[in-house]
């Protein structure tokens, strides 16, 4: 039991030490709000591109390509989304809150929290598997988020525009370029690959520090019931159901922890910006990001400890 506890601690503590460092950066006022936005944009446009490119380019497809994992991950996200679209309108009367709630429940912070979680448990060599899943899950998140937010504000869903925006996403571009060069067997000289590898290695710590520095507390008294519902669904109900089904279907080891990274991580940071831009309840969306991120240090620890104790990885 002690060994399982250590594994769970080792998986979670590094993530929140980095986020805590970001909180200290903010407290010490080392970055202004404007500078924080610029650094955040740099991480998204440059660092994530390099990370996805490097991980895809250096992967062994025969070992990382898992059709069953892709089908379950994508199908699970879609199933959670459809259930939310059916249930949330029955529980919430305001359209602005409906979109924010649906997005908070189905869309996780898989990239920022999930990838380092797998790394902390299995090591850097295992990161290729969740990286492969990013190329599948992130586009699904983006398309479904726009569909949901447009639906509840009465807007028009434009698939062509969404697909173009998805393809312009630096993470997707990096994955496509990396996979393309890998499939074409294009050799890159070490002089080029080394700086890309260094940037890729810096992506997770820098991104988590910036995430911690970006946290803002807000008033939640006007939407406390909705906030509690979203936090409970995101951190407990969704992972409880989806991981139970995954275990029943035989997923184990890295595959199961990758699914944990998809279904048990906190609300995606991007959900706040999208809610703000698409006339949803941005205050509720922002609080969902803050409180699920803060409480996930306990919930993720609990899920990792449970799965490890049951010898599922």
């Amino acid at each position: 039991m002690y060994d399982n506890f250590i594994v769970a601690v080792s998986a979670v503590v590094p993530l929140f030490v980095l986020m805590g460092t970001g909180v200290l950066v903010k407290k010490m006022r080392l970055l202004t709000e404007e500078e924080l936005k610029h650094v955040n944009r740099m991480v998204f446009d440059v660092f994530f591109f390099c990370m996805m490119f490097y991980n895809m380019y250096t992967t062994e497809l025969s070992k990382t390509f898992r059709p069953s994992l892709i089908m379950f991950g994508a199908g699970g996200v879609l199933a959670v989304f459809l259930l939310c679209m059916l249930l949330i309108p029955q529980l919430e009367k305001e359209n602005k809150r409906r979109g924010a709630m649906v997005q908070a429940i189905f869309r996780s912070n898989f990239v920022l929290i999930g990838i380092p979680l797998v790394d902390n448990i299995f090591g850097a060599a295992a990161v290729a598997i969740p990286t492969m899943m990013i190329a599948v899950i992130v586009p699904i998140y983006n398309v479904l988020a726009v569909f949901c937010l447009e639906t509840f504000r009465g807007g028009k869903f434009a698939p062509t525009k969404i697909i173009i925006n998805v393809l312009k996403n630096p993470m997707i571009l990096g994955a496509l370029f990396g996979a393309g060069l890998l499939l074409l067997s294009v050799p890159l000289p070490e002089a080029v690959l080394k700086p890309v590898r260094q940037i890729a290695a810096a992506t997770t710590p820098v991104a988590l520090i910036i995430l911690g520095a970006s946290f803002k507390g807000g008033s939640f008294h006007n939407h406390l019931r909705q906030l509690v519902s979203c936090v409970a669904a995101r951190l407990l109900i969704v992972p409880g159901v989806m991981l139970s089904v995954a275990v029943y279907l035989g997923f184990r080891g890295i595959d199961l922890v990758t699914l944990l990274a998809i279904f048990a991580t906190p609300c995606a940071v991007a959900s706040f910006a999208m809610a703000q831009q698409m006339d949803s309840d941005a205050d509720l969306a922002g609080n969902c990001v803050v409180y699920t991120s803060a409480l996930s240090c306990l919930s993720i620890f609990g899920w990792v400890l449970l799965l490890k104790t049951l010898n599922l990885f």
Side-chain angles (χ1 to χ4, degrees), residues 199-244:
I199 295 173
T203 300
T204 294
V206 174
L208 287 172
I209 290 170
I210 296 302
L211 176 61
S214 301
F215 280 163
K216 292 179 181 177
S219 174
F220 52 77
H221 302 292
N222 293 330
H223 50 243
L224 181 60
R225 178 176 61 84
Q226 292 84 355
L227 177 61
V228 170
S229 300
C230 290
V231 171
R234 177 67 256 157
L235 299 181
L236 300 175
I237 299 172
V238 169
V241 173
M242 297 310 300
L243 293 176
S244 297

Side-chain angles (χ1 to χ4, degrees), residues 139-190:
I140 294 174
Y141 277 163
N142 289 341
V143 171
L144 295 182
V146 173
F147 179 81
C148 134
L149 294 172
E150 286 288 9
T151 297
F152 289 120
R153 79 168 179 178
K156 185 179 179 182
F157 183 65
T160 304
K161 183 179 179 181
I162 294 170
I163 291 171
I164 291 172
N165 287 335
V166 167
L167 291 175
K168 289 163 65 176
N169 184 306
M171 284 185 286
I172 304 304
L173 281 175
L176 290 175
F177 277 119
L181 293 183
L182 176 64
L183 293 172
L184 293 171
S185 299
V186 177
L188 287 178
E190 179 62 16

Side-chain angles (χ1 to χ4, degrees), residues 47-274:
F47 282 51
F48 276 121
F49 176 90
C50 290
M51 182 188 77
M52 291 297 293
F53 174 86
Y54 181 78
N55 288 343
M56 291 299 290
Y57 180 74
T58 57
T59 191
E60 294 183 47
L61 289 177
S62 60
K63 294 182 179 179
T64 58
F65 185 67
R66 287 164 159 76
S68 59
L69 180 63
I70 292 172
M71 290 176 64
F72 185 87
V77 169
L78 185 58
V80 172
F81 172 78
L82 292 174
L83 282 173
C84 288
M85 291 294 284
L86 289 172
L87 295 176
I88 295 299
Q90 309 300 319
L91 303 173
E92 177 57 46
K93 295 179 180 179
E94 293 186 31
N95 266 349
K96 289 188 72 168
R97 286 180 176 173
R98 286 173 173 174
M101 291 177 72
V102 170
Q103 189 183 204
I105 294 170
F106 90 86
R107 189 179 188 184
S108 72
N109 206 351
F110 173 40
V111 179
L112 275 185
I113 306 295
I115 298 297
L117 179 66
V118 175
D119 187 358
N120 290 340
I121 295 174
F122 295 104
V127 169
I129 294 171
T131 298
M132 177 267 298
M133 289 298 291
I134 288 175
V136 176
I137 299 298
V138 168
I140 294 174
Y141 277 163
N142 289 341
V143 171
L144 295 182
V146 173
F147 179 81
C148 134
L149 294 172
E150 286 288 9
T151 297
F152 289 120
R153 79 168 179 178
K156 185 179 179 182
F157 183 65
T160 304
K161 183 179 179 181
I162 294 170
I163 291 171
I164 291 172
N165 287 335
V166 167
L167 291 175
K168 289 163 65 176
N169 184 306
M171 284 185 286
I172 304 304
L173 281 175
L176 290 175
F177 277 119
L181 293 183
L182 176 64
L183 293 172
L184 293 171
S185 299
V186 177
L188 287 178
E190 179 62 16
V192 173
L193 206 54
K194 183 177 180 180
V196 174
R197 179 168 59 244
Q198 290 171 330
I199 295 173
T203 300
T204 294
V206 174
L208 287 172
I209 290 170
I210 296 302
L211 176 61
S214 301
F215 280 163
K216 292 179 181 177
S219 174
F220 52 77
H221 302 292
N222 293 330
H223 50 243
L224 181 60
R225 178 176 61 84
Q226 292 84 355
L227 177 61
V228 170
S229 300
C230 290
V231 171
R234 177 67 256 157
L235 299 181
L236 300 175
I237 299 172
V238 169
V241 173
M242 297 310 300
L243 293 176
S244 297
V245 175
V247 169
Y248 176 76
L249 293 176
F251 287 97
R252 298 291 187 273
I254 297 174
D255 289 6
L256 184 60
V257 175
T258 298
L259 293 173
L260 168 69
I262 294 171
F263 294 110
T265 44
C267 299
V269 177
S271 61
F272 168 69
M274 287 193 69

